[in-house]
Amino acid sequence: MNPRNVITVILPALTVALIGTTIPFLVGFNQYYVLLALQSVIMASIALAWNIIGGYAGQLDLASFAYVGLGGILATMLMTEYNVTPWLGMFLGAGVSAALAFTIGFPLFRFGIKGVWYALSTAALVVILHEASIMFLGPFDYYIPFVEGWYYLRFRTWENLYYFSLVVLAFVISLNLYISRSKIGYYLKAIREDEVAAEAVGIDVRKYKLLALVTYASILGFIGYLYIVSQRTFSYNTFSGPQSVYVAIVGIVGGLGSVSGVFSAALILKIVEEYLRGFLGGVLPGLHLLLFGSLLIIVGILRPGGLSSLTDALTKKIRVRIQRWYS
Amino acid sequence: MLPSPGLIFQSVLDGVFLGFLYSLIALGLSLVFGVMGIINFAHGDFIMLGSYLVWILANGLRSDPSFMSLATVPLFFVIGAAIYMTIIRPVLGKEPLIQIAVTVGIGYVLQNFALMMFRAEPRAVQTTYLNLYLNLGVVSIHLAKLISAFLSLLIVLGVHYLLTKTWVGLAIRATAYDREVASLMGINVGKIFLLVFSLGIGLTGLAASLWMTFGQADPYIGSSFGLLTWVIIALGGLGGVSGLIASSLIVGIIQSLTMTLVSPTVSLAIPYVVFIMVLWFRPQGLFGKV
Amino acid sequence: MSNAVVLEVSGLSKRFGGIVALNNVSLKITKREIVGIIGPNGAGKTTLVNCVTGIYRPDSGKVFFLGEDITGKPPHLIALKGVARTWQKIRPFYNMSVIEAVTAGALLRTKDVLKAREEATEVLEFVGFPKSKFEMLGRNITLIEHKLVDLARAIATKPKLLFIDEVVAGLRPHEVDVIADVVRRVNREMGITLGVIEHVMRFVMSISDRIVVLHEGRLLTQGTPAEVARDPLVVEAYLGTKPV
Ligand SMILES: Nc1ncnc2c1ncn2[C@@H]1O[C@H](COP(=O)(O)OP(=O)(O)OP(=O)(O)O)[C@@H](O)[C@H]1O
Ligand SMILES: [Mg+2]
């Protein structure tokens, strides 16, 4: 990559991370808000990972929490049972999730499974893991015993984990931007638009779809531990179908393949969710999800551009400014 | 401990009854998919919604859930038409991901609506005339299940007759085969789509009232019905009605057997394992043509 | 080596259920030739291209490209070897810009996106696509523009052999002349061997070195445009199937 591209890939991620670091200061280290910021950052990272398979490659994947759950529970249990540091556990989680994705994806793509059948297979994967994990975990909620320090990536307050998650988010943003500007991104988008036409211009559709799927799954497997710690608990319900659908909603409402759109959608939906929960949570649980579902329908009907139609114009302006300044 | 033959027989029988109900549910979904190419992820959630409606009505009127189909079927037919006009028609020409996503959105809305209104506890109808068991020695037959299986089969065959023997059915099949040719033949494809989608949703109203004669309503039965039905269609390979019934029975029996012999958890997961295997090794379905 | 055989098809057959779309078709295309492939609707022209480019696997027969057996190879490998094609029924990338779509084609021969973009720009200019619309999304351009993008996307893969499937169908007469000129230049200036499928006789007769006629899946006859135009078999095939 040439230097200008490096800048356009790294700079937005760094900017987001830097702005992000100010948040705990701005909210006066209020733990409620820092936790909220942490959860938003994690959801944004998950949705941006989904963007690789869903947004770029155009496969409606509904299995995100299969990979989050698998990687996360693995890293967490390695820590609680064998005192293995999550620094290692998270990479193992990423590896195991990637292996699962490969095992599922290889035969599916080989036989040309796409569209609805792909979506269903992935939805089925979550159900299978959900039921299978009841056998291994039992029908209980697990609370992580309190341990502290960088070795465990667990702290008395949420700030450190939040900063760590910002680094992860910055990585996922850069990865997305890198993909969208590289050969892989062009190829994935071509596959999304028309697989047959893509093959005819020499694109190995199977290979690139598998690459997208495995990349997505390994990021989620890595993030899993952060997700579980930020939720304070895990159980068979971590393998959640509705949560996986939620991720796809964020990705589509944000705009397929748009980094700024998906990022904004993740933050905005999280804020709306908290706001409604605070107001009506006791009275009408699930109202925010009902609204998000409606939002998905509306975006689908009106235009598949989603939020990105707004954010893209803005980021383009900024990018042109920066490029002018750089050259 | 080896299960007795009677237990196995009982379990297969229950699976068969359940399978016939599944075939009724799968019929509507496969019609919509086969004719319109629309992938309705919310199909099961309409049954869920219907189940709550039946629960309210049957408890309110102190009557049997099966009678409530007189209300749910026309109502759901109309709801189906409304959803077709407002949501489905605008996305007909769009990319598959958006089409699927929109119906996923519908399902999500229905599910959370139910959660909001009724909370997560399962609800069952108090009054049912069919909650009787016919004791036949080795096995006992739950009358509600028997009747719902019978009615399901009747309706499935009825719709099959409609499709194969009437003019409307011919028009529907022509549309499924080739939209452009159908419209050249003077068939109003838009009207056929409207009819098929409404019929598909209308049938979920019937399935809901049959289900409530022995089952329970909760916000999540929709997802499991929905996924199961897709599994059935994948196995049946969108072939004829016989493939559909056969794969419904297979799924019902597998589920019922694993429930008795292994565990309820396994019985929930096993159809999906079969589903993924079938997609891997026989993408055209068990009974589909090559 | 100007007579080198680029493509050799021998005994190719393909059926769809009861329909025999290709029936024992054999033909050769030599280097730098423009071969017109004509025949009434349903003659099997598109099926021939689909079998050569790996979209369909032929039931029997062989396809050799530059002497190498490519029968039944996957489309992306065949494209890599140097066979490209355009689509009779357009297959546009609606949510990618014009330049992105063509760049995707150019990326077959390089990893460098900037280089591929430059090549895509050149190819788009070569086919005469208006420069002001390079950044437009596929969903926002006209039919003739789609055809040009499709052509550019295929050329960008730097093929040795290119099939052009009914590129002028549905276009107005003056647009046909523009495209005819582009097609000729693709052959002369880029040195790409062409198989041109077309119903518009004026177009195909004027650009082709040689014409191959398919009818009901069989190779009816072949020869120079003048020979074929005089051939009674060809006249009969067209009159026999096309309502006049
Ligand atoms: N995928 C397919 N499935 C079934 N039949 C097909 C398929 N593709 C082509 N056919 C049939 O094969 C025959 C040849 O079709 P083909 O498209 O090759 O003709 P063509 O010469 O390109 O015609 P046209 O000039 O109309 O484009 C036709 O009868 C067509 O209906
Ligand atoms: Mg053709």
Side-chain angles (χ1 to χ4, degrees), chain A residues 210-270:
Chain A
L210 203 53
L211 184 65
L213 177 62
V214 169
T215 310
Y216 149 79
S218 43
I219 296 172
L220 295 185
F222 188 87
I223 294 176
Y225 177 76
L226 300 175
Y227 175 81
I228 286 176
V229 173
S230 77
Q231 300 294 318
R232 300 192 182 94
T233 164
F234 70 90
S235 71
Y236 64 99
N237 272 328
T238 308
F239 299 102
S240 161
Q243 279 286 353
S244 304
V245 173
Y246 180 87
V247 171
I249 291 182
V250 175
I252 295 168
V253 168
L256 294 173
S258 162
V259 178
S260 54
V262 173
F263 176 72
S264 327
L267 298 194
I268 294 173
L269 294 193
K270 185 76 199 171

Side-chain angles (χ1 to χ4, degrees), chain C residues 16 19 21 40-47 56 88 166 199:
Chain C
F16 297 102
I19 299 168
N41 290 106
K45 307 179 293 289
T46 303
T47 305
Y56 295 155
Q88 174 177 2
E166 303 213 7
H199 279 297

Side-chain angles (χ1 to χ4, degrees), chain B residues 93-118:
Chain B
K94 291 196 173 150
E95 49 268 64
L97 188 143
I98 294 295
Q99 291 181 350
I100 308 171
V102 164
T103 66
V104 168
I106 298 174
Y108 210 67
V109 167
L110 294 181
Q111 209 178 87
N112 287 297
F113 174 73
L115 198 62
M116 212 166 79
M117 303 302 291
F118 308 109

Side-chain angles (χ1 to χ4, degrees), chain A residues 39-119:
Chain A
Q39 289 172 348
S40 312
V41 163
I42 290 174
M43 184 43 79
S45 309
I46 293 177
L48 282 167
W50 185 90
N51 191 46
I52 297 172
I53 184 78
Y56 293 135
Q59 309 299 310
L60 185 59
D61 192 290
L62 298 175
S64 45
F65 272 74
Y67 304 117
V68 171
L70 191 63
I73 291 176
L74 181 76
T76 312
M77 293 191 80
L78 280 175
M79 182 187 84
T80 53
E81 304 289 315
Y82 303 102
N83 204 31
V84 175
T85 171
W87 291 91
L88 178 61
M90 287 162 72
F91 282 102
L92 289 177
V96 170
S97 288
L100 175 67
F102 186 86
T103 317
I104 296 291
F106 187 82
L108 284 186
F109 295 146
R110 183 184 145 76
F111 292 117
I113 303 297
K114 57 187 171 197
V116 65
W117 302 112
Y118 180 80

Side-chain angles (χ1 to χ4, degrees), chain A residues 54 58-60 62 103-104 107-108 111 113 115-117 119-121 123-124 127-128 131 134-135 242 245-246 249 252 256 282-287 289-290 293-294 296-297 300-304, chain B residues 33 39 41 86-87 90-91 94-98 100-102 104-106 108-109 111-113 115-116 119 220 226-227 230 233-234 238 263-266 268-269 272-273 275-276 279-281 283:
Chain A
Q59 309 299 310
L60 185 59
L62 298 175
T103 317
I104 296 291
L108 284 186
F111 292 117
I113 303 297
V116 65
W117 302 112
L120 283 163
S121 318
V127 178
I128 293 172
E131 304 309 324
I134 296 181
M135 285 191 278
V245 173
Y246 180 87
I249 291 182
I252 295 168
L256 294 173
V283 200
L284 298 171
L287 175 66
L289 298 177
L290 192 154
S294 321
L296 176 65
I297 298 173
I301 294 175
L302 291 185
R303 48 183 297 161
Chain B
F33 184 51
I39 295 133
F41 258 70
T86 51
I87 301 177
V91 299
K94 291 196 173 150
E95 49 268 64
L97 188 143
I98 294 295
I100 308 171
V102 164
V104 168
I106 298 174
Y108 210 67
V109 167
Q111 209 178 87
N112 287 297
F113 174 73
L115 198 62
M116 212 166 79
R119 306 297 156 98
Y220 302 109
L227 269 172
W230 278 107
I233 291 181
L238 286 175
S263 82
T265 323
V266 178
L268 285 177
Y272 306 112
V273 177
F275 169 64
I276 290 189
L279 278 189
W280 282 353
F281 300 113

